[in-house]
Amino acid sequence: MKTYAYAVSIAAMAAGLGTSAHAAEVPAAPAAPAAPTAEEIVVTAQFRSQNLQKTPISITAISGDMLTARSQSNVSQIAAQAPGLNLQPGNQSFGPSMAASIRGVGQFDFSPAVEPGVGMYVDDVYYPSLMGAMFDLLDLDRIEILRGPQGTLAGRNSIGGALKLYSRRPTGSNIGMVQAGYGSRNRLDLRASGDFGITDNLSARISGAAKRQQGYVDVYDFGCVNQQGSAINPTSGGIPATRPTGQCLTGRDGNVDYQAVRAQLRYHPGAALDILLSADYVSDNHSPAPTVLLTANNAAAGAVRGSYSGVALDSRFVCGPYCNYENGQMPADTANGIPYATTRPLGTSYEGYGFSGQGDVQISPSLKLTSITGYRYFHTVYAIDGDLTPLPANGANTDMRTRFFSQEVRLNGKALHDRLNYTLGGYYSDQNTVYANVQDLRTSGLQFASLGDTVPAKSFALFAQTSWEVLPHLTLNGGIRRTHEQKDYTFSRRFANGATGQPRVGSLDEQTGAYAETRYDYRANIQYEWSPRVMTYAQFSTGYKGGGINPRPFFPSQVQPFSSESLKAWEIGLKSELFDRRVRFNASAFFNQYSNIQLVLTSCPLFTPGGAAAPCAMTANAGDAEVKGFEIETTLRPVAHLSIDASLSYLDFQYKSIAAAAAAGANGVRLTDITPYTSPWKWSIGGQYEIELPGGSSLTPRFDVAYQSTFYTQPRNVPTSAVPAYTVMNGRVTWRNAARNLDVTAEVTNIANRYYLVNVFDQTTAGGFSSGQPARPREWALIVTKRF
C-alpha cells in the first residue's frame, strides 16, 4: 500500500485541519434548487468572466459537480457528452498519449515534430504534448471545451479548438473532503482535498488522488495454451511453453497504478491583487495499453519468425476479445540480418511535475494586468510488443523527456462606460524534447536506435481581442493574432547498440531539419440579444497548425518537410433559456475550409525505394477539404429536483483535393475518405432526480447513454482501421445525509457490458496485422465521500 501513502496523508490533513461541517464540497453536487431553473455557468473564454449564455462562442462548460455525477474521472470520458469532440486513449505503440479531435481537426501523433490540433490547458497554462494528456480530473471547478479556431482567445494558437481545465482555487474556507472507493477487479480509489485559511489574506489548497485496479486484458503464454504438436503449433519450428500446463496466464494489461497531488497557495489581500502559486506531481506506472490482435496475415519467414520457422504471423494468434499472446522477446537473429537483441520489460512509466504562477493586478477600476507563468517537465518510458505474439516481428521501446516554459501577459480594460472590453496580450513558450527510442520492425526489415532526437521549439505571439456594444443588445467582437514559431529536428539514427553506420537510415544521424513561420489569424464576431434570454451570433475565424519535418523516416528519401495547415471557419449560433429558464437550448452550425491537412501517411510510394507503399509513417500535407455540421446542447428542468441534459452533433467531411504524395498508389487517400478520429454522428442524453427521504436525507439516481458513430484511425479508410459505432450506458445512485456532508454512491459503467473498441492500430500495409484497444467491460464501484 505504499503507493497510497501520499494520498492518505493528504486525507489526514483534510480531516485533521478541517473545522465543523460546512456546505457541500467537491465532488458531490449541491442540493437541487427549489425553483427548477437552469444553473448559471460562468466561463472565461473571452479573457473575462461571463455567463455562458452571453458568450458568443460554441462552448461546452462542465462543472466539477457534473463530472462527478456522470462518474467521469478521466479527461477522455468527457467527450461522451461533448458534441463534436473526440478524445481517445493512444494505441499501445504511442504509449500514455491521447488522440484529440474537434470538428474533424486534431492530431493523434504524440511526436514533438507535430503540434496538437486541439490546445490543452490546465489553469490557463498550455500543455504542449499529447503524451501524458490523459489527465485525471482532480479537484476541478470546471472544464471549458471551445470548438473552432482559438488563435485570438487562447495563449497558444489552437486550430481545432481548446480544452481547458480549471482547478478549484483556495478560498481559506477551512473545509475538506475525503473519498474512498472500491470496485471491480480490486479497484481502489482514494481522493482528498483540503482548503486552509493561513491568515486573512493567505490561503492554501491541497488535493491528491491515488488509484489502483487490475487489468482486464489477459496475457497468455502461447506455447502453454497451444501445446506443441497441435495443428497451430507444430513440434518442429513451433513455440515451446515457458510456463507449466494450467498456469498459462502471464499478466494482465490495462491495470491502473496512478498517483497525483496538487498544492496551491493564494495571496489575496483585496480586489486589487490576487496571486496564485501552484505545483503538481503525477506518477503513472502500468502494463501496456490493453490491446488485442484483430487480424494477422503475414506469411514472411526469416526475421519475422525468428527461430519459430514453422509458425507464420497469422490468425492463430488472434486470442480473443480480452486476451493476447505478447511477450516482448526480440532476440538477436544474425542469420537474418538482425545483429542485436532489443528485448525490454513490457510496460509504461510516466512521471511529470509542473509549477505555475498567476498574478492579477487591478491597476484601476477599468484596467487589470494578468501574468501567467508555467513550467512543466515530464518523462515517459515504455516498451511494447507491437504484434502481440511471441514472434519477434514488431517491437519498440521509447524514452521521451520534455521541458516546457511559457509566459503569458494580458492587459484587460474597459471603456465607454463599460460598453467596450478589450484585451492586449503576449505569449512566449520555449520547449525542448529529447526523444530516444529503439525500433525493431522486422516486418519492415529495419532495426535502429535513436540515442535521442532533439527537438527545440519556440513560439512568440501578440494578440488583441475586443468586444464593443455598439448599440443596445448589439455587440461586435474581434481579434487578431501574430504568431512566430520555429522548430528544429535533429535526427539520431544508429545501430541498436548505439554504434554509428546503420546501413539504411544511418546517413540521417546528426542531420537537422528546420521550420520557421510567421502567421496572422483573425476573428470577427457579431452577437445580438433579442431578449435577456435569447442571443444569436455569427462568426468568422482563422487558425493554423505549424509545419516541420517528417520525424519517422524508414528511408532517407522519406525525410520530407511538411508545411502548416490552416482553417477558415464560419459559424452561426443560438443561445437561449426558455420557459422561465426551465429549458436551456444552445445550437451552432459551421462551415470550414480546411487546407494543407497534415496526416500521418501509412502509404507513400513516391518516397519509398522501388515505389513500394510501405513501410511508411510519413507526416505530410494530404490535401484540402470542406467540413460542415451542427451541434445542439440542451438542459431541461421540467420539475423541481429533475435535471435532463442532452447533446447532438453531426459532421460532414468532404475532401476537395488530394495531394500527390497522399493519393499515390493503391493504398492512397481517396476523396471519399475522412480524417482520422472523426465521427460523423454523436449524441448523448442523461438525467437525474433527487428524491427527498424522511429525516432530510436524499437519494439521487442518474442514468446516461451516449452514442458515437464509426470513425477511422488512418487516413485511408479501410475496415482494418475502423472503430465501429458504439452506444454506452452508465448509471449511478447517490444517498446523501441530511447534513449534506456524507455521500454513499453506487455506480455501474458500461451497464450493458457492451464490447467495443476505442482505438485501432492498423499495420496491415507494412506488417500484415492490426490490433485494437477494447473499452473497459462493465464495472461497478462503491464510493463513500465525507466532507468536513
Side-chain angles (χ1 to χ4, degrees):
M1 298 293 291
K2 64 179 182 180
T3 55
Y4 282 89
Y6 212 6
V8 171
S9 67
I10 295 172
M13 292 175 62
L17 297 180
T19 60
S20 60
H22 286 253
E25 167 78 347
V26 64
T37 61
E39 63 176 336
E40 179 175 317
I41 300 176
V42 177
V43 298
T44 56
Q46 294 194 124
F47 298 126
R48 66 184 192 277
S49 296
Q50 287 181 284
N51 186 319
L52 172 68
Q53 297 303 104
K54 306 291 185 181
T55 306
I57 300 173
S58 182
I59 178 174
T60 297
I62 310 169
S63 69
D65 295 330
M66 181 56 71
L67 294 171
T68 299
R70 291 173 174 165
S71 301
Q72 294 173 338
S73 62
N74 181 285
V75 70
S76 68
Q77 297 168 341
I78 66 174
Q81 283 82 22
L85 173 67
N86 196 0
L87 303 175
Q88 302 292 345
N91 64 63
Q92 190 181 92
S93 294
F94 282 6
S97 65
M98 180 175 69
S101 175
I102 295 179
R103 292 179 174 176
V105 181
Q107 183 60 262
F108 66 91
D109 189 353
F110 68 88
S111 171
V114 297
E115 298 295 326
V118 176
M120 288 169 285
Y121 299 81
V122 179
D123 296 330
D124 280 330
V125 176
Y126 180 73
Y127 188 86
S129 175
L130 294 173
M131 182 63 73
M134 294 288 287
F135 303 126
D136 182 83
L137 305 180
L138 174 62
D139 200 21
L140 290 186
D141 176 69
R142 70 187 188 279
I143 294 177
E144 297 180 12
I145 303 164
L146 285 65
R147 291 179 284 273
Q150 301 300 318
T152 67
L153 292 176
R156 184 73 176 263
N157 183 61
S158 303
I159 183 174
L163 178 63
K164 297 186 173 183
L165 283 64
Y166 291 95
S167 307
R168 293 182 182 268
R169 285 192 163 203
T171 61
S173 59
N174 288 322
I175 60 177
M177 176 275 294
V178 177
Q179 183 183 88
Y182 179 80
S184 300
R185 297 189 312 280
N186 291 324
R187 169 182 165 181
L188 292 171
D189 290 0
L190 283 178
R191 291 176 179 270
S193 65
D195 195 309
F196 313 113
I198 300 173
T199 69
D200 290 342
N201 300 326
L202 190 65
S203 57
R205 189 177 185 95
I206 303 176
S207 53
K211 302 188 292 185
R212 269 190 176 180
Q213 189 177 22
Q214 292 177 353
Y216 60 95
V217 170
D218 294 334
V219 181
Y220 290 107
D221 176 73
F222 179 83
C224 178
V225 175
N226 306 278
Q227 294 289 321
Q228 284 184 279
S230 63
I232 64 173
N233 191 11
T235 302
S236 177
I239 299 172
T242 62
R243 298 177 67 88
T245 302
Q247 301 179 32
C248 301
L249 183 68
T250 64
R252 289 188 174 93
D253 289 346
N255 68 311
V256 178
D257 186 357
Y258 178 93
Q259 290 77 228
V261 63
R262 178 187 298 124
Q264 298 172 290
L265 185 66
R266 184 182 184 188
Y267 178 62
H268 186 41
L273 181 63
D274 193 350
I275 297 176
L276 180 67
L277 303 178
S278 301
D280 65 84
Y281 173 79
V282 173
S283 173
D284 186 6
N285 299 279
H286 54 82
S287 58
T291 310
V292 299
L293 191 65
L294 300 176
T295 64
N297 185 22
N298 186 326
V304 174
R305 302 192 195 184
S307 60
Y308 309 129
S309 57
V311 180
L313 178 54
D314 57 23
S315 59
R316 77 188 72 205
F317 294 111
V318 177
C319 178
Y322 292 109
C323 64
N324 67 53
Y325 294 119
E326 69 187 6
N327 66 8
Q329 297 299 310
M330 301 293 290
D333 186 0
T334 54
N336 291 296
I338 304 296
Y340 304 106
T342 61
T343 301
R344 299 288 191 280
L346 300 182
T348 296
S349 172
Y350 174 89
E351 186 174 34
Y353 58 85
F355 306 97
S356 66
Q358 178 171 339
D360 295 299
V361 181
Q362 195 71 43
I363 300 173
S364 71
S366 60
L367 201 62
K368 183 175 76 170
L369 179 67
T370 297
S371 172
I372 302 171
T373 305
Y375 174 82
R376 181 156 296 279
Y377 169 84
F378 62 84
H379 180 204
T380 303
V381 178
Y382 67 93
I384 60 102
D385 186 336
D387 55 278
L388 302 171
T389 78
L391 299 183
N394 185 301
N397 58 83
T398 295
D399 189 316
M400 181 174 172
R401 302 171 187 263
T402 295
R403 291 178 173 83
F404 181 80
F405 170 82
S406 65
Q407 175 63 54
E408 183 175 353
V409 178
R410 305 175 194 157
L411 185 66
N412 287 7
K414 298 180 180 181
L416 303 178
H417 304 288
D418 293 346
R419 290 169 46 215
L420 177 67
N421 289 270
Y422 62 88
T423 299
L424 303 175
Y427 176 85
Y428 171 79
S429 68
D430 188 347
Q431 178 179 345
N432 198 319
T433 301
V434 179
Y435 178 27
N437 62 82
V438 174
Q439 297 290 327
D440 199 342
L441 311 178
R442 303 185 189 185
T443 52
S444 298
L446 180 62
Q447 183 192 73
F448 71 87
S450 166
L451 300 185
D453 293 3
T454 56
V455 195
K458 293 183 179 181
S459 178
F460 176 74
L462 298 173
F463 55 89
Q465 168 70 27
T466 184
S467 296
W468 179 24
E469 188 178 9
V470 294
L471 296 171
H473 314 303
L474 178 65
T475 302
L476 301 180
N477 304 282
I480 185 172
R481 177 189 183 92
R482 179 189 185 275
T483 304
H484 176 77
E485 292 185 328
Q486 61 187 58
K487 178 182 295 184
D488 294 338
Y489 197 101
T490 301
F491 292 96
S492 170
R493 294 292 184 270
R494 303 192 175 195
F495 280 108
N497 69 340
T500 59
Q502 206 282 343
R504 187 192 291 187
V505 292
S507 61
L508 301 178
D509 195 45
E510 298 185 357
Q511 298 299 307
T512 299
Y515 161 79
E517 186 173 9
T518 299
R519 291 285 301 248
Y520 287 87
D521 286 301
Y522 309 90
R523 174 182 182 238
N525 178 293
I526 182 171
Q527 68 179 104
Y528 187 77
E529 294 187 28
W530 301 89
S531 74
R533 300 299 178 193
V534 178
M535 182 267 285
T536 58
Y537 68 89
Q539 175 174 281
F540 170 76
S541 58
T542 68
Y544 90 103
K545 182 170 67 175
I549 190 168
N550 174 33
R552 293 191 175 91
F554 296 113
F555 302 92
S557 56
Q558 292 179 357
V559 180
Q560 298 291 326
F562 58 91
S563 62
S564 58
E565 65 178 28
S566 61
L567 194 72
K568 295 180 179 178
W570 289 261
E571 180 179 320
I572 57 174
L574 163 72
K575 296 196 173 184
S576 63
E577 291 180 325
L578 309 172
F579 306 107
D580 295 327
R581 298 183 65 203
R582 296 187 183 190
V583 176
R584 174 178 291 158
F585 182 85
N586 296 342
S588 60
F590 60 90
F591 174 79
N592 295 342
Q593 290 181 328
Y594 193 10
S595 303
N596 291 325
I597 302 171
Q598 296 173 8
L599 296 178
V600 181
L601 305 178
T602 56
S603 172
C604 50
L606 298 183
F607 303 98
T608 303
C616 178
M618 187 174 78
T619 302
N621 299 105
D624 304 331
E626 291 181 351
V627 189
K628 56 183 177 291
F630 65 83
E631 297 142 351
I632 297 172
E633 293 181 283
T634 186
T635 303
L636 310 177
R637 302 287 193 273
V639 296
H641 309 301
L642 175 63
S643 170
I644 301 172
D645 51 84
S647 67
L648 171 68
S649 64
Y650 171 72
L651 185 146
D652 179 23
F653 183 100
Q654 292 287 331
Y655 276 113
K656 294 303 177 181
S657 64
I658 305 293
N667 298 301
V669 181
R670 302 161 296 187
L671 289 173
T672 54
D673 291 330
I674 61 177
T675 49
Y677 297 92
T678 298
S679 291
W681 287 100
K682 287 187 65 184
W683 60 260
S684 71
I685 186 169
Q688 65 185 55
Y689 184 76
E690 184 177 20
I691 304 168
E692 296 181 346
L693 301 177
S697 63
S698 66
L699 191 69
T700 304
R702 181 177 177 89
F703 180 78
D704 289 282
V705 57
Y707 168 83
Q708 181 161 340
S709 65
T710 298
F711 64 89
Y712 297 88
T713 61
Q714 299 290 351
R716 175 64 179 259
N717 300 164
V718 293
T720 49
S721 71
V723 174
Y726 55 85
T727 304
V728 182
M729 296 179 288
N730 299 327
R732 183 181 177 98
V733 178
T734 298
W735 174 84
R736 184 173 300 127
N737 70 348
R740 324 303 280 179
N741 61 11
L742 178 64
D743 294 351
V744 179
T745 299
E747 67 177 33
V748 180
T749 55
N750 193 5
I751 292 174
N753 203 25
R754 173 74 182 272
Y755 182 83
Y756 65 98
L757 302 175
V758 295
N759 212 328
V760 166
F761 188 49
D762 184 7
Q763 288 289 291
T764 52
T765 302
F769 66 89
S770 67
S771 60
Q773 184 170 336
R776 308 185 82 82
R778 179 171 54 221
E779 296 181 344
W780 63 268
L782 183 66
I783 302 167
V784 179
T785 305
K786 174 64 177 177
R787 289 172 294 278
F788 303 91

